[in-house]
């Protein structure tokens, strides 16, 4: 079956590390969106898909064609497709959620692949991906709101003998202050 996963949470909380850790030993395409023109994003995305499948980059001008190309590739061979900083992609073309909706509904289901959308802009992720108004609403199979480790979590993950050492490490690694 196919999976559509949404991961969001504030910057520096470890979303990208989680994605990479998760997909490391599986076939995956990791695409990092940036604040760039739509053309540039599209070209980069298609090139990354092509590279993964050892294809020559096809000439593709629109996102629907790009997702169609991705779908054809995934039918030959399943993969995890992770789009990080997805809000930047939506900034460059606000129809992308609806193109992805047809991709998820019509094409992803025919494959054993997984689509992961990830983003730090919680507002955009909630409105463009998870919200009632979004074409993608209700389609995700898993939603992860990644929270920073609490001091307790961090202490469990790394066993310290000394509480001062524990607090120092937590502070150095960017622990959030506890109000």
């Amino acid at each position: 079956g196919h999976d559509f996963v949404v991961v969001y949470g504030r910057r520096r909380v470890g979303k990208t590390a989680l994605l990479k850790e998760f997909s490391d030993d599986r076939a995956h395409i990791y695409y990092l969106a940036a604040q760039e023109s739509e053309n540039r994003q599209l070209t980069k995305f298609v090139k990354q898909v092509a590279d993964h499948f050892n294809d020559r980059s096809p000439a593709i001008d629109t996102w629907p064609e790009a997702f169609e190309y991705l779908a054809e590739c995934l039918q030959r061979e399943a993969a995890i497709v992770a789009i990080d900083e997805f809000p930047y992609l939506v900034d460059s073309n606000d129809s992308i959620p609806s193109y992805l909706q047809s991709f998820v509904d019509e094409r992803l289901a025919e494959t054993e692949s997984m689509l992961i959308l990830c983003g730090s802009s919680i507002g955009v992720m909630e409105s463009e991906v998870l919200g009632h108004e979004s074409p993608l609403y209700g389609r995700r199979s898993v939603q992860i709101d990644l929270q920073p480790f609490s001091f307790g979590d961090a202490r469990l993950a790394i066993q310290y003998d000394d509480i001062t050492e524990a607090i120092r490490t937590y502070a150095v690694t960017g622990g959030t202050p506890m109000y």
Side-chain angles (χ1 to χ4, degrees):
H2 69 290
D3 270 311
F4 170 31
V5 178
V6 178
V7 182
Y8 62 110
R10 64 184 181 73
R11 285 188 195 288
R12 317 277 344 134
V13 84
K15 295 181 299 297
T16 305
L18 182 71
L19 286 186
K20 291 191 162 156
E21 183 65 34
F22 173 71
S23 46
D24 215 23
D25 50 355
R26 301 174 173 88
H28 68 278
I29 298 164
Y30 172 78
Y31 176 77
L32 178 60
Q35 285 172 300
E36 296 176 322
S37 73
E38 183 181 3
N39 261 348
R40 178 100 184 85
Q41 302 261 29
L42 185 61
T43 307
K44 262 177 27 184
F45 180 78
V46 170
K47 183 179 180 341
Q48 256 177 286
V49 175
D51 286 351
H52 176 79
F53 292 101
N54 297 315
D55 265 352
R56 284 226 316 259
S57 268
I60 283 178
D61 309 309
T62 67
W63 281 107
E65 287 174 76
F67 294 133
E68 184 53 37
Y69 169 60
L70 174 63
E72 285 162 16
C73 291
L74 292 175
Q75 277 187 310
R76 297 200 301 266
E77 187 197 326
I80 295 168
V81 180
I83 302 180
D84 203 350
E85 293 303 355
F86 180 66
Y88 287 143
L89 217 50
V90 182
D91 282 348
S92 72
N93 179 336
D94 59 9
S95 300
I96 284 178
S98 55
Y99 302 149
L100 271 176
Q101 179 232 310
S102 353
F103 170 77
V104 169
D105 289 355
E106 293 156 31
R107 304 305 310 266
L108 193 63
E110 307 166 345
T111 75
E112 290 296 308
S113 298
M114 177 186 280
L115 171 66
I116 305 176
L117 298 183
C118 189
S120 314
S121 166
I122 296 167
V124 176
M125 293 300 284
E126 286 178 342
S127 61
E128 298 299 332
V129 182
L130 302 166
H132 285 274
E133 303 296 304
S134 166
L136 291 165
Y137 178 73
R139 285 178 167 76
R140 70 195 178 289
S141 26
V142 182
Q143 173 180 337
I144 302 170
D145 174 2
L146 201 61
Q147 295 294 337
F149 264 15
S150 69
F151 179 61
D153 297 330
R155 203 164 172 216
L156 288 173
I158 312 164
Q159 298 296 328
Y160 290 104
D161 305 328
D162 177 14
I163 187 80
T164 8
E165 194 53 32
I167 291 170
R168 185 176 301 126
T169 306
Y170 185 65
V172 165
T173 53
T176 34
M178 323 249 268
Y179 295 116

